[in-house]
Amino acid sequence: MTDHRTDGAWDLIVTPWHLDEHIPAFPIPVAAAQAVRPALPAGPVPTRMSLLHRAALDAVTQAARPLVLSGDCPTSRAVVAGLQRRHRELAVLWLDAHGDFNTPAISTSDYIGGMALAMLTGRTPDLFDDTLDLRPVPDTSVVLADARDLDPAERDALTVSHVRRVSADPAAITSALDQLGPIPVYLHLDIDVIDGAQLPGARFPSGTGPSLAQIEECLTAACANADITAAYLACAWLPEHADDRTSRQTITRLTAALGANLEWREPDGN
């Protein structure tokens, strides 16, 4: 277990799952508002994920300003659905080495985790039995930063979309957010956006990319220039590395850039 404190600006929620697989070693801060651990019955992965996302939605709905630590990207469906209950309009800032813009029709792997942004923009309508009342986010309200590792069909889909693509650079992100206007922003970060050399144990390392320090600067710039109404860190390390000291240090630095102050109770052996 771990310890959490923020400066009062965030309500920390932890969803220790990768798709429908619980991650027992996922670091869960003490005093987190909630750790989402529903009992999922046996069944198809999308059905199990739907139940998990419903539980996450309930937690988000109770939080004034959610900061979510998760083991994957698709649980972002629950966060955005919860925010849409409060905000008529919502923009998305998505920092990721991948585009997460695959769909069941174009994916070569059928990996649901690679479809998360496509889910938010309404491109996977039949994937889940949706009880979240999630409304598609318009492409024009989405900023995708980095996305250096794309499948060919995914690249084509992004090219014909109206998603705004920028580099993972503070100035580029600030400019893109300014162009969105005064609209609440959901900030999503997959840790694999960081240079693979700085991410030992990552599930999907994507080689050379922006440094951890540069991503910290991106987060700080986003918070200074937009109304970040919720934030989400996809902590996509392999299960055996989820609670490594370096993994926790990375989470601590990223959340600090968002204005949160996390403290950790050191696990034995790390």
Side-chain angles (χ1 to χ4, degrees), residues 196-268:
Q198 293 186 269
L199 286 177
R203 280 183 187 263
F204 304 109
S206 294
T208 303
S211 67
L212 173 56
Q214 184 172 344
I215 294 300
E216 288 176 286
E217 293 172 2
C218 290
L219 299 182
T220 300
C223 289
N225 291 280
D227 176 15
I228 305 299
T229 192
Y232 184 114
L233 265 61
C235 305
W237 281 279
L238 293 166
E240 61 270 25
H241 292 279
D243 200 27
D244 284 356
R245 185 186 302 274
T246 54
S247 301
R248 285 180 276 114
Q249 289 174 339
T250 299
I251 296 170
T252 300
R253 288 182 58 176
L254 293 171
T255 52
L258 295 170
N261 176 26
L262 270 65
E263 296 180 355
W264 305 92
R265 194 179 291 148
E266 296 294 335
D268 295 337

Side-chain angles (χ1 to χ4, degrees), residues 76-98:
S76 59
R77 297 175 62 245
V79 183
V80 171
L83 296 176
Q84 288 176 336
R85 296 184 175 191
R86 308 173 196 172
H87 304 287
R88 185 173 60 86
E89 295 183 284
L90 185 73
V92 172
L93 171 59
W94 193 279
L95 297 95
D96 201 318
H98 307 93

Side-chain angles (χ1 to χ4, degrees), residues 24 65 83 99 101 153 210:
R65 192 182 185 213
L83 296 176
F101 215 65

